[in-house]
């Protein structure tokens, strides 16, 4: 038996009532959402993409519903029950859609991990969520090996392995009755970017999340003719709900899953499927721009190129529309809630130089004299899942989330992101907590001290740099990346560079100073 879901800090009753009265929150659950859209849009194309074996599929909404039912049966066979948490760490394969909608049907709660996560992260999520199952793709990673490592790490009863690579997608399945849940119950757990310690889990409800999905779909003008390409990991909040795959399925459009984000794969799919909207992180936008200049693909179908996850430089912003054809939309969002968009009808100046304004008139945004951004609203959480210490640091008494971002607010309400006060590395949109890297490095026999920081980088915005102090007189270790890999760290967190210093800069109380270190490393690099 798995423990029941832990209590979460939810919106106070007064706010919930207000959001209901305003019609922002409805009683649509995710199970209702799946049942409704798969029948309403039955004959339209819901998903185009490859399965775990690389075979391409084109599923109608009706077929997607059948695949979700088949997934329910397989999950039940793996002893997943309503209310159970299930860690999903899949690449962009069609089985992803079946698993996630199946979990929603079953009223089990997905925990949205990334395919690059390894046992360090996966076992942490299993522990915090007391996960009943772990869903992996065995043609991508050695699922049995990874699951074994996770099982060896966890302190809870190990999760069951569900490997989608073995699934026969032609198998028939009869639907069974959807489970009864409330739209205001926690429906899934998203991941925060790590700051201190590993990612925290973010409890989201159908009421709050689907509000943000509907609002996003409206702002981005989605309808049944929408075709969205998803080159980023589909589980990321951006790809999932801003407006993401849920926004597209809400509106009856088509999701095209790209197995990899390369310009070659993406351009082929854009041309063939007549894609009209795509979410990108800044380094990817830059890579596509330079590839498009050389290859001149037919991108005439692109209507909206969304860029978010990290600060887009004004210089790159200016090249998006001329080269990629679609109008730029800047997206400044966070898995905790608040998402800002530039609007399709904003003046060019605003689209090119701001990170947008809140999607909802009911988003409350507070910017103090130092530029610190705090927010509260109908789809911004009031607390993390089972993380009371983090809650004390990240939420104010009156329920505002302290984003850790520094912004300037224009009279129009648009925000310009000017920096960050949270201790985090944003490597081209991937959020990494310094101690996620430092802690395993300190376990290396030759390492006396290690400090991870983000260093300015033309392509990534920030690259991950670790400064190390080693035993004097010892040779510089060459196995640090292997050491981190062996420690079970996500592959996207492997440092871009290791720098050996005789002394690490310290603050006046003798702690390592990240700020000074960043300055030293940036200076050395530019010299
Ligand atoms: C998105 O979500 P997360 O949770 O991975 O990261 C949130 C953080 C923000 O607090 C901010 O520090 C940074 O990522 N960020 C940006 C940005 N978009 C996100 N910083 C500067 N400019 C931007 N445009 O990254 C996310 C969630 C939903 C939609 C889009 C992105």
């Amino acid at each position: 038996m798995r423990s029941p879901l832990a209590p979460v800090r939810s919106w106070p009753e007064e706010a919930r009532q207000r959001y209901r009265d305003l019609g922002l929150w409805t009683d649509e659950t995710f199970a209702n959402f799946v049942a409704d859209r798969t029948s309403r849009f039955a004959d339209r194309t819901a998903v185009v993409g490859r399965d775990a074996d690389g075979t391409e599929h084109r599923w109608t909404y009706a077929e997607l519903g059948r695949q979700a039912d088949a997934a329910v049966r397989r999950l039940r066979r793996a002893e997943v029950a309503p209310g159970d948490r299930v860690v999903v760490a899949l690449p962009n394969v069609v089985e992803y859609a079946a698993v996630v909608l199946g979990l929603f049907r079953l009223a089990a709660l997905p925990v949205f991990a990334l395919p690059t996560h390894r046992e360090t992260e996966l076992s942490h999520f299993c522990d915090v969520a007391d996960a009943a199952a772990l869903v992996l793709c065995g043609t991508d990673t050695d699922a049995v090996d990874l699951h074994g490592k996770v099982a060896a790490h966890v302190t809870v009863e190990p999760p069951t392995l569900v490997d989608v690579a073995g699934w026969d997608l032609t198998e028939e399945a009869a639907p069974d009755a959807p489970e009864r849940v409330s739209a205001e119950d926690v429906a899934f757990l998203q991941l925060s970017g790590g700051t201190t310690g590993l990612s925290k889990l973010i409890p989201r409800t159908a009421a709050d999340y689907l509000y943000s999905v509907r609002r996003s779909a409206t702002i981005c003008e989605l309808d049944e003719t929408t075709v969205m390409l998803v080159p980023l990991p589909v589980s990321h909040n951006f790809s999932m709900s801003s407006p993401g795959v849920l926004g597209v399925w809400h509106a009856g459009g088509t999701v095209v899953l790209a197995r990899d984000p390369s310009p070659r794969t993406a351009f082929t799919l854009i041309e063939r499927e007549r894609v009209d909207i795509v979410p990108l992180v800044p380094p990817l936008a830059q890579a596509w721009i330079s590839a498009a200049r050389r290859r001149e693909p037919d991108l005439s179908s692109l209507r909206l190129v969304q860029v978010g996850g990290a600060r887009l430089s004004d210089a790159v912003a200016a090249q998006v529309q001329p080269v990629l054809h679609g109008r730029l939309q800047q997206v400044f969002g966070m898995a905790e809630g608040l998402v800002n968009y530039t609007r399709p009808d904003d003046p060019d100046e605003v689209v090119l130089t701001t990170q947008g304004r809140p999607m909802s008139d009911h988003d409350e945004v507070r910017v103090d004299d130092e530029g610190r951004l705090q927010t509260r609203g109908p789809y911004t959480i009031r607390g993390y899942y089972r993380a009371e210490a983090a809650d004390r640091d990240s939420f104010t008494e009156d329920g505002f989330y302290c984003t850790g971002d520094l912004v300037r607010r224009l009279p129009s309400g648009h925000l310009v992101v000017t920096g960050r006060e949270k201790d985090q590395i944003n490597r081209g949109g991937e959020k990494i907590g310094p101690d996620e890297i430092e802690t395993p490095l300190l376990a290396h026999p030759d390492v006396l001290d290690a400090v991870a920081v983000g260093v300015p980088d033309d392509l990534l915005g920030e690259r991950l740099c670790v400064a190390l102090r080693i035993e004097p007189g010892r040779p510089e270790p060459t196995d640090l990346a292997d050491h981190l890999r062996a420690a079970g760290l996500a592959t996207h967190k492997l440092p871009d560079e290791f720098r050996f210093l005789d002394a690490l800069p310290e603050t006046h109380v003798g702690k390592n100073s990240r700020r000074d270190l960043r300055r030293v490393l940036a200076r050395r690099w530019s010299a």
Side-chain angles (χ1 to χ4, degrees), residues 195-449:
T195 45
T196 38
L198 291 157
S199 294
K200 295 173 284 288
L201 301 184
I202 295 175
R204 303 287 301 251
T205 66
D208 88 80
Y209 209 65
L210 286 176
Y211 168 61
S212 79
V213 166
R214 288 191 304 272
R215 215 25 231 143
S216 299
T218 302
I219 289 170
C220 299
E221 302 174 342
L222 305 194
D223 61 25
E224 289 182 37
T225 66
T226 296
V227 182
M228 175 184 284
L229 181 70
V230 184
L232 302 171
V234 54
S235 275
H236 190 278
N237 200 61
F238 187 11
S239 301
M240 183 139 66
S241 67
S242 306
V245 298
L246 291 178
V248 175
W249 289 330
H250 162 72
T254 302
V255 167
V256 180
L257 296 174
R259 197 65 166 80
D260 73 86
S262 68
R264 176 200 295 272
T265 301
F267 294 168
T268 306
L269 289 169
I270 292 169
E271 289 182 10
R272 197 188 74 194
E273 303 296 332
R274 304 297 297 164
V275 168
D276 74 319
I277 176 171
V278 61
L280 299 176
V281 287
L284 201 50
Q286 229 175 313
W288 284 24
I289 287 168
S290 64
R293 283 223 168 87
R294 280 181 276 115
R295 289 199 221 147
E296 300 186 13
D298 174 9
L299 302 178
S300 59
S301 60
L302 278 181
R303 175 179 63 84
L304 207 54
V305 176
Q306 303 184 282
V307 184
R311 180 68 152 89
L312 178 65
S313 74
D314 294 0
V316 177
Q319 300 169 56
V320 170
Q321 183 160 2
V323 182
L324 299 181
H325 189 272
R327 185 153 172 76
L328 170 67
Q329 177 180 59
Q330 298 215 34
V331 187
F332 164 39
M334 50 211 74
E336 286 82 357
L338 181 70
V339 180
N340 302 276
Y341 296 101
T342 58
R343 308 299 202 260
D345 58 358
D346 277 339
D348 282 352
E349 170 72 11
V350 167
V351 171
L352 296 180
T353 62
T354 81
Q355 281 63 60
R357 61 184 172 86
M359 72 162 92
S360 168
D361 290 341
H362 306 281
D363 282 317
E364 298 170 68
V365 160
R366 205 150 75 176
V367 182
D368 72 9
D369 290 343
E370 267 84 68
R372 285 186 286 236
L373 171 68
Q374 298 182 347
T375 186
R376 153 176 108 168
Y379 62 97
T380 296
I381 57 163
R382 298 296 183 112
Y384 290 109
Y385 186 64
R386 295 183 63 193
E388 272 161 38
D391 284 351
R392 278 192 295 276
D393 290 342
S394 301
F395 296 87
T396 63
E397 290 278 308
D398 55 349
F400 279 75
Y401 167 57
C402 306
T403 65
D405 294 312
L406 301 174
V407 302
R408 195 153 47 81
R409 184 161 43 167
L410 307 181
S412 60
H414 289 82
L415 303 175
V416 177
V417 180
T418 56
R420 183 173 65 221
E421 63 161 356
K422 59 189 162 192
D423 207 358
Q424 186 177 72
I425 297 146
N426 187 340
R427 185 182 183 277
E430 303 273 17
K431 317 305 182 312
I432 303 162
D435 55 2
E436 297 185 71
I437 317 298
E438 294 162 0
T439 306
L441 280 175
L442 288 171
H444 187 287
D446 293 341
V447 173
L448 291 182
D449 208 352

Side-chain angles (χ1 to χ4, degrees), residues 6-198:
V8 302
R9 285 214 295 184
S10 181
W11 293 259
E13 184 47 39
E14 166 280 318
R16 300 161 74 113
Q17 193 57 51
R18 187 155 38 89
Y19 297 147
R20 277 181 222 126
D21 292 345
L22 287 164
L24 313 182
W25 286 10
T26 69
D27 51 18
E28 183 168 55
T29 64
F30 280 103
N32 299 148
F33 178 91
V34 175
D36 178 80
R37 303 311 185 280
T38 54
S39 71
R40 187 168 0 146
F41 302 120
D43 297 331
R44 303 200 63 88
T45 304
V47 201
V48 176
R50 296 184 182 280
D51 67 17
D53 293 325
T55 306
E56 196 162 83
H57 295 261
R58 183 175 287 275
W59 288 346
T60 61
Y61 276 82
E63 178 63 17
L64 175 58
R66 263 195 301 281
Q67 295 292 347
D69 289 328
V72 170
R73 214 172 48 178
R74 296 185 183 104
L75 290 160
R76 282 196 199 279
R77 244 184 266 144
E79 289 179 27
V80 175
D84 278 350
R85 279 75 62 198
V86 173
V87 175
V88 180
L90 293 179
N92 290 7
V93 289
V94 290
E95 289 91 338
Y96 174 91
V99 169
V100 172
L101 298 195
L103 288 168
F104 286 156
R105 271 229 154 136
L106 188 54
L109 289 72
V111 181
F112 289 113
L114 295 172
T116 45
H117 283 139
R118 289 294 171 267
E119 65 268 27
T120 298
E121 295 86 9
L122 297 175
S123 58
H124 169 68
F125 305 147
C126 288
D127 274 340
V128 177
D130 188 16
L134 170 63
V135 186
L136 299 173
C137 176
T139 46
D140 244 43
T141 39
D142 185 338
V144 172
D145 179 63
L146 181 53
H147 171 261
K149 287 175 175 156
V150 171
H153 266 70
V154 290
T155 56
V156 294
E157 186 193 330
T160 311
L161 171 63
V162 175
D163 181 0
V164 301
W167 286 8
D168 172 9
L169 296 174
T170 61
E171 199 176 298
E172 282 300 316
D176 52 6
E179 298 293 331
R180 300 227 162 277
V181 287
S182 151
E184 292 178 31
D185 290 341
V186 175
F188 63 86
L189 297 159
Q190 262 285 5
L191 306 186
S192 75
T195 45
T196 38
L198 291 157

